[in-house]
Amino acid sequence: MEVKWNDTVIKILRGDITEQDTEALVNAANSRLAGGGGVDGAIHAAGGPAIMRELDSIRARQGGCPAGQAVITTGGRLKAKHVIHTVGPVYHGRDAEAELLAACYGNSIKLAAGHNIHSLSFPSISTGVYRYPIRLAAPVALRTVFSQLQIYPLQEIRFVLFSDADYEVYRKVVTELKLPE
Ligand code: AR6
């Protein structure tokens, strides 16, 4: 499905984020920026070793990346030129986790805008290994992106959901959501 928000086209689709041709992809990384399973593993596998080489130098410079923050690297062999690595919270049901999750989306858009990136694909951050329930994560993701686009109006945002069930949750939430004016 597709929604227009001011000057931005927002697409919600079922698919593999590594195949997206937006200028950048967002990766659901860990705070060591060490690679892993899930979408992180898929992005490194598809993009090749150039991504980890850049993460190695970021790690040497600043250590890892705390939850809620984001760093940017090349996309290596991906169609996307850049990967923005953000670190979601591990879900325990505390209030602070929603804020950290929102910060992942907000900081990713801010970093993209700062690098003159016009189109960006997001996975559903924290809802795999980090166990954030997608029914709770989807409204946080959507609300934050819609509101951040008022400050940084990118041309296109894609939410790329890996399963039919996740796609259905997003579709439902986006139609139900009272969007910021
Ligand atoms: N395209 C789109 N979405 C995907 C793909 C893909 N190719 N592969 C998986 N997903 P997860 P997290 C979905 O676990 O919860 C890693 O080991 C998946 O179905 O990748 O933030 C990192 O290194 C789920 O809905 O990320 C961290 O240690 C969503 O992506 C940790 O996992 C997120 O699941 C981060 O956990």
Side-chain angles (χ1 to χ4, degrees):
M1 75 180 296
E2 204 173 299
V3 182
K4 193 97 166 61
W5 176 246
N6 300 327
D7 293 328
T8 307
V9 176
I10 296 173
K11 293 182 182 168
I12 296 172
L13 51 113
R14 208 200 79 78
D16 181 343
I17 200 167
T18 64
E19 293 168 5
Q20 302 304 311
D21 59 1
T22 44
E23 285 173 52
L25 310 180
V26 175
N27 181 21
N30 55 63
S31 57
R32 288 165 293 117
L33 302 173
V39 71
D40 197 3
I43 286 174
H44 280 282
I51 298 176
M52 192 52 87
R53 276 200 298 275
E54 289 192 15
L55 288 175
D56 287 342
S57 43
I58 291 169
R59 224 179 291 117
R61 226 172 30 239
Q62 68 176 56
C65 178
Q69 301 300 304
V71 299
I72 188 167
T73 65
T74 175
R77 293 193 295 257
L78 291 165
K79 288 181 198 159
K81 232 178 132 201
H82 309 277
V83 176
I84 291 175
H85 306 260
T86 189
V87 180
V90 178
Y91 185 75
H92 299 288
R94 303 181 188 120
D95 288 350
E97 289 153 17
E99 283 161 39
L100 287 173
L101 185 63
C104 288
Y105 288 92
N107 284 325
S108 294
I109 289 182
K110 186 176 173 187
L111 192 56
H115 283 77
N116 211 22
I117 289 164
H118 303 96
S119 58
L120 184 59
S121 295
F122 280 105
S124 177
I125 299 162
S126 280
T127 65
V129 173
Y130 285 175
R131 301 186 312 270
Y132 209 118
I134 192 159
R135 277 174 190 73
L136 303 180
V140 173
L142 289 160
R143 272 188 211 285
T144 306
V145 167
F146 278 80
S147 112
Q148 189 74 326
L149 285 170
Q150 294 180 304
I151 308 170
Y152 305 106
L154 271 55
Q155 280 166 15
E156 183 179 332
I157 300 284
R158 294 183 198 166
F159 290 97
V160 184
L161 289 319
F162 207 44
S163 69
D164 288 335
D166 288 355
Y167 172 77
E168 281 308 320
V169 171
Y170 259 70
R171 211 171 59 87
K172 210 164 162 226
V173 170
V174 85
T175 48
E176 283 168 4
L177 210 59
K178 240 186 146 329
L179 301 169
E181 301 296 336

